[in-house]
Amino acid sequence: MTNEMQMTLEAPSIYQPIMLSILEITPMTDLEKVFKIGLPHPMSQDHKPGQFMQISVLGVGEAPISISSSPSRSKNSFEICVRRVGALTNALHALSPGDVVGVRGPFGRGFPIERFRGKDILFAPGGLGLAPLRSVINEVLDDRSNYGRIIILYGARQPKEMLFRDELQEWATREDVELHLTVDEADEKWKGNVGVITTLFSKIQVSPRNTVAITCGPPVMYRFVLMELLGMGIPEGNIWLSLERRMKCGVGKCGHCQMDHIYVCQDGPAFSYAEIRHLEEAL
Amino acid sequence: MTAKILPKHAMQGWIETLREHYRIIGPKPAQSQYVFGDIHSADDLDLSYPTSILPPKKVLLPQREDLFRFDSMGDTPIVEPTFDDEPTVILGIHACDMHSIALLDRVFEKGTTDQHYQTRRENTTLVSLECTTSCSEFSFCKSMGTLSVPENFDLHMTDLGDEYLLEIGSKKGENLLRGFNEVREATDADFERLNKVMSEKWSHFTYRLDFDVTELPALLSLSYDSKVWEELGDRCLACGACNIVCPTCYCFDVRDEVDFSLRSGGRFRVWDSCQLDRFAIVAGGHDFRDTRAARQRHRFFRKGKYLTDQYGVVGCVGCGRCAQACLVHISPVDTFNELHRRRVPSAAAQEEALA
Ligand SMILES: Cc1cc2nc3c(=O)[nH]c(=O)nc-3n(C[C@H](O)[C@H](O)[C@H](O)COP(=O)(O)OP(=O)(O)OC[C@H]3O[C@@H](n4cnc5c(N)ncnc54)[C@H](O)[C@@H]3O)c2cc1C
Ligand code: SF4
Ligand code: SF4
Ligand code: FES
């Protein structure tokens, strides 16, 4: 991103946020809300899907939050999807449109989507993992002709915990998107698959060498999803993950996000499995 | 080499001259130990100090440091970063601590420059002091290759008895002597005295590591699954003292505070410790290092391998402070030696057989 966003990197202090207004707040579930944050200047498209921002409420704190809008749609604004779990995220949920939040970033290394062109893409987000992957999905959909099949396997704990339901609906109706949903626990209305995300893999066939898989979800999910992906024969270098760690600075100084000798905030959060397979602390 | 001679009796005069332009920090006694603190006169300063409780890191990276202040009284909040640019001289820094400052410089200046550290660092002049005797029963600098002062000093002092020889390492160092005329040029005879001190000092230090430090990263790579970590984990109290006293520990937490008005306040950083159980926990409760064993391993891997991988310098400078501070006597030398002993049982046995 250029202009305003990059200014945070040229600011007198790398820890100084710029204050931006919330344009819209859309409740998603009991726990998650989507915030649309305005940018004073149009944001160019050079942020990578998979990057994150440090979002703060002055006096409360700061936290890493993925950019959930795609570069193709982040023009005068960008979106984040926030689950309320603690001090900062609850404070964010208490805000209204027109209020300001502190923003630093974008930080980290996103997914190298230019390398995915021409390939089939298999997305496997679990729960809140859809927030960062939505950025990639929409980026790819806005450049649809440059990619092969688009398969999305999304799992949530309960139907009411599914995020971005409008978009799921849209993807479900598109001919050029293969969407499969599952929930751990169904309710009366749920007619789809019941079971953890890995139960969806048997529903699809892929040509492994031409497929890039991208997954993001709670820490426990990775091992199981990886087993499926590797089992399908997708090469290690074609499997991409976004890893979560505790992060305090976003700029490779505070030490919190360290995984072996790597700082996830700098070298990640997006990694190919080939890059982290040999790291003891990765998965 | 340009060098000057400072008679010890002129120390008071020098400090007075310096105080006109600088805040002076140096080693001084506190209870039965030594700390780096404000020096107002030569009487405060004790350059014969063995080691200090906290390293001079605390000057460059204070335990608590404001990053910015904010005021949200108006329509748009005002965020004002805070920097400390007070000209400061740190006197009497031992070689190990100079090595640790070289590491901190890389950490805070590599990639994205941390302007808070940088501002303070640029306004700080480092006066190192040649170590001529071992400072503590816990230190092992000779083994870590940190007994010789690195090139990052501005001024380097060597005790020649009733005088100090001052080596000038930079313009900043030279400036410390400006307007002070009680120093004289060093002569050939002074350099001879210096050489004598330098050649005699080595025998006052012992090697404590059972192997060459260059083997340390490889040794650790092979020791990831060692039982040693569990044994350390069983002993460790997770108090974090080892991190707090370590000159190469720099991890920090970031926090906010608000004034009673609730509209203004600040964001600051404070030292943090990877030995505390919350260091690597994320929302949802997943802790990426959820045992003391895993945290001990992380600590020693940082010291012996990760920092070297990342910054090309040794991550433990052998000051021994952590071993001294640890209530359960966990020490890097003992740990590294134990890993080495278990790694090469056959070689050790062979040596024993030959002895
Ligand atoms: C790269 C990256 C991208 C992310 N993207 C998103 C996203 O798009 N959306 C999103 O909602 N989240 C995202 N997260 C997670 C988000 O950063 C955390 O949920 C957030 O930091 C929580 O901050 P908080 O102040 O609200 O919670 P905290 O007050 O920090 O608490 C969070 C939880 O952790 C526990 N906790 C916190 N501190 C401690 C402690 N010291 N000891 C024990 N337990 C503790 C609390 O009990 C609570 O359950 C992302 C994280 C990373 C690293
Ligand atoms: S000082 Fe000793 S007891 Fe305390 S955390 Fe460090 S190793 Fe553990
Ligand atoms: S690990 Fe211990 S001995 Fe090594 S530099 Fe840190 S405090 Fe000194
Ligand atoms: S978040 Fe601070 S080093 Fe990565």
Side-chain angles (χ1 to χ4, degrees):
Chain A
M1 290 184 207
T2 53
N3 301 332
E4 202 62 23
M5 287 293 91
Q6 233 167 37
M7 279 169 57
T8 67
L9 293 176
E10 286 152 23
S13 164
I14 51 173
Y15 303 105
Q16 181 184 348
I18 54 168
M19 304 308 296
L20 299 176
S21 296
I22 299 172
L23 301 180
E24 267 173 52
I25 301 178
T26 316
M28 287 272 130
T29 69
D30 291 348
L31 288 178
E32 284 102 359
K33 284 183 180 175
V34 171
F35 298 76
K36 185 182 225 181
I37 298 170
L39 291 163
H41 301 289
M43 182 153 70
S44 82
Q45 296 180 20
D46 54 3
H47 89 90
K48 282 271 177 0
Q51 284 191 302
F52 65 94
M53 295 287 201
Q54 287 282 357
I55 304 288
S56 60
V57 174
L58 298 178
V60 179
E62 188 176 56
I65 304 287
S66 310
I67 303 173
S68 190
S69 47
S70 61
S72 56
R73 298 180 195 183
S74 308
K75 294 280 194 289
N76 296 304
S77 63
F78 67 97
E79 287 170 345
I80 54 174
C81 173
V82 180
R83 173 178 291 176
R84 86 188 140 78
V85 292
L88 185 263
T89 46
N90 272 298
L92 279 174
H93 273 242
L95 297 179
S96 316
D99 289 341
V100 290
V101 289
V103 177
R104 291 193 296 134
F107 292 127
R109 188 184 67 155
F111 298 101
I113 51 161
E114 62 288 342
R115 278 160 50 191
F116 303 162
R117 293 229 171 97
K119 296 240 163 40
D120 296 342
I121 308 195
L122 166 59
F123 294 96
L128 188 54
L130 183 58
L133 293 203
R134 171 180 176 253
S135 173
V136 200
I137 294 172
N138 284 330
E139 182 72 6
V140 167
L141 289 180
D142 288 344
D143 185 21
R144 185 66 190 88
S145 58
N146 273 316
Y147 299 88
R149 288 167 67 196
I150 302 222
I151 309 163
I152 303 169
L153 312 181
Y154 177 45
R157 271 191 309 200
Q158 299 174 11
K160 66 177 167 65
E161 291 183 15
M162 292 230 151
L163 299 172
F164 300 105
R165 270 171 275 186
D166 292 351
E167 268 153 287
L168 292 176
Q169 205 82 58
E170 185 205 318
W171 299 338
T173 55
R174 277 179 80 140
E175 298 269 312
D176 58 355
V177 174
E178 299 161 53
L179 177 72
H180 298 271
L181 304 176
T182 188
V183 292
D184 297 355
E185 296 162 39
D187 60 11
E188 319 77 67
K189 280 184 278 167
W190 183 255
K191 295 195 200 68
N193 190 75
V194 179
V196 292
I197 188 167
T198 46
T199 59
L200 292 178
F201 284 87
S202 60
K203 300 189 186 297
I204 54 162
Q205 291 282 324
V206 299
S207 53
R209 304 233 132 245
N210 195 44
T211 301
V212 169
I214 308 179
T215 182
C216 181
V220 290
M221 191 187 92
Y222 290 107
R223 223 163 295 165
F224 300 104
V225 168
L226 275 168
M227 248 160 20
E228 297 290 338
L229 297 172
L230 293 168
M232 289 169 132
I234 300 177
E236 288 172 355
N238 281 8
I239 300 176
W240 286 80
L241 315 87
S242 180
L243 298 184
E244 181 179 2
R245 286 294 182 279
R246 195 169 184 84
M247 293 184 182
K248 283 295 177 177
C249 71
V251 287
K253 311 293 179 199
C254 77
H256 280 269
C257 68
Q258 192 165 12
M259 171 177 89
D260 291 79
H261 63 285
I262 279 178
Y263 282 151
V264 175
C265 69
Q266 301 277 282
D267 297 335
F271 293 97
S272 76
Y273 180 58
E275 292 170 320
I276 56 163
R277 193 180 54 111
H278 61 284
L279 299 181
E280 312 272 4
E281 291 194 325
L283 296 168
Chain B
M1 188 208 305
T2 15
K4 306 272 181 191
I5 296 293
L6 170 74
K8 284 190 177 169
H9 63 74
M11 193 54 122
Q12 177 60 21
W14 190 37
I15 286 177
E16 277 168 21
T17 314
L18 288 178
R19 267 170 52 82
E20 288 170 23
H21 305 284
Y22 301 94
R23 171 173 74 138
I24 306 178
I25 307 284
K28 56 191 219 180
Q31 278 104 35
S32 57
Q33 300 189 63
Y34 286 81
V35 298
F36 274 86
D38 283 299
I39 302 295
H40 302 291
S41 87
D43 292 342
D44 295 339
L45 185 70
D46 187 350
L47 288 175
S48 68
Y49 78 112
T51 182
S52 57
I53 303 174
L54 294 182
K57 162 186 93 173
K58 73 174 193 185
V59 181
L60 293 169
L61 186 69
Q63 193 265 335
R64 186 210 136 111
E65 170 176 23
D66 279 342
L67 298 173
F68 61 77
R69 307 293 304 166
F70 64 84
D71 187 340
S72 7
M73 292 295 188
D75 286 346
T76 2
I78 296 162
V79 178
E80 196 69 52
T82 47
F83 301 101
D84 172 6
D85 59 1
E86 186 181 1
T88 301
V89 176
I90 312 179
L91 286 180
I93 309 169
H94 285 166
C96 59
D97 289 335
M98 291 299 287
H99 279 275
S100 75
I101 292 172
L103 171 73
L104 295 182
D105 286 353
R106 290 191 198 202
V107 170
F108 286 98
E109 279 157 26
K110 186 185 166 184
T112 324
T113 301
D114 184 306
Q115 303 96 332
H116 302 269
Y117 178 89
Q118 188 189 37
T119 304
R120 196 178 282 101
R121 181 68 180 86
E122 279 172 0
N123 288 287
T124 303
T125 308
L126 304 177
V127 180
S128 51
L129 177 70
E130 189 67 37
C131 301
T132 51
T133 52
S134 176
C135 66
S136 127
E137 58 177 297
F138 298 99
S139 67
F140 51 102
C141 47
K142 193 178 182 178
S143 295
M144 300 310 284
T146 53
L147 172 51
S148 292
V149 75
E151 298 271 287
N152 59 347
F153 62 84
D154 297 304
L155 212 55
H156 179 65
M157 314 173 72
T158 305
D159 191 336
L160 298 181
D162 43 15
E163 292 167 328
Y164 286 108
L165 182 133
L166 307 180
E167 237 174 279
I168 296 167
S170 73
K171 190 93 198 131
K172 266 163 130 185
E174 205 176 317
N175 287 345
L176 297 188
L177 299 171
R178 226 191 313 174
F180 178 64
N181 44 28
E182 288 184 64
V183 288
R184 62 168 173 84
E185 290 296 326
T187 63
D188 285 352
D190 296 322
F191 283 116
E192 254 167 59
R193 286 197 292 160
L194 174 72
N195 289 344
K196 187 159 176 298
V197 170
M198 296 302 278
S199 57
E200 281 172 2
K201 69 172 250 183
W202 289 90
S203 60
H204 298 140
F205 297 83
T206 46
Y207 282 110
R208 297 188 54 209
L209 215 52
D210 297 340
F211 56 94
D212 193 277
V213 66
T214 54
E215 292 168 32
L216 183 55
L219 172 67
L220 283 167
S221 297
L222 295 170
S223 308
Y224 193 84
D225 296 318
S226 172
K227 282 266 174 295
V228 165
W229 309 123
E230 266 160 57
E231 293 162 21
L232 292 181
D234 287 343
R235 282 160 63 197
C236 174
L237 310 170
C239 68
C242 49
N243 293 132
I244 297 304
V245 300
C246 178
T248 65
C249 276
Y250 54 82
C251 293
F252 56 85
D253 192 13
V254 178
R255 295 185 203 155
D256 282 26
E257 64 184 358
V258 279
D259 303 341
F260 62 91
S261 70
L262 300 181
R263 303 296 303 270
S264 55
R267 184 163 296 164
F268 58 97
R269 64 172 157 209
V270 285
W271 292 350
D272 206 343
S273 160
C274 63
Q275 298 307 294
L276 304 181
D277 60 358
R278 281 150 185 204
F279 189 82
I281 204 166
V282 295
H286 190 87
D287 187 347
F288 287 94
R289 263 172 242 112
D290 59 358
T291 62
R292 289 177 190 188
R295 296 194 289 270
Q296 281 288 312
R297 175 170 60 199
H298 181 70
R299 171 186 163 213
F300 285 115
F301 264 71
R302 262 182 86 94
K303 299 302 167 199
K305 178 170 165 35
Y306 297 156
L307 290 174
T308 309
D309 290 353
Q310 261 180 315
Y311 300 106
V313 292
V314 64
C316 166
V317 296
C319 71
R321 287 185 179 95
C322 58
Q324 183 160 17
C326 181
L327 288 173
V328 295
H329 313 294
I330 292 176
S331 103
V333 191
D334 295 346
T335 303
F336 295 149
N337 282 342
E338 185 61 16
L339 292 172
H340 186 255
R341 194 178 67 77
R342 296 199 201 177
R343 188 58 223 152
V344 285
S346 54
Q350 270 176 357
E351 257 174 54
E352 223 163 87
L354 288 172

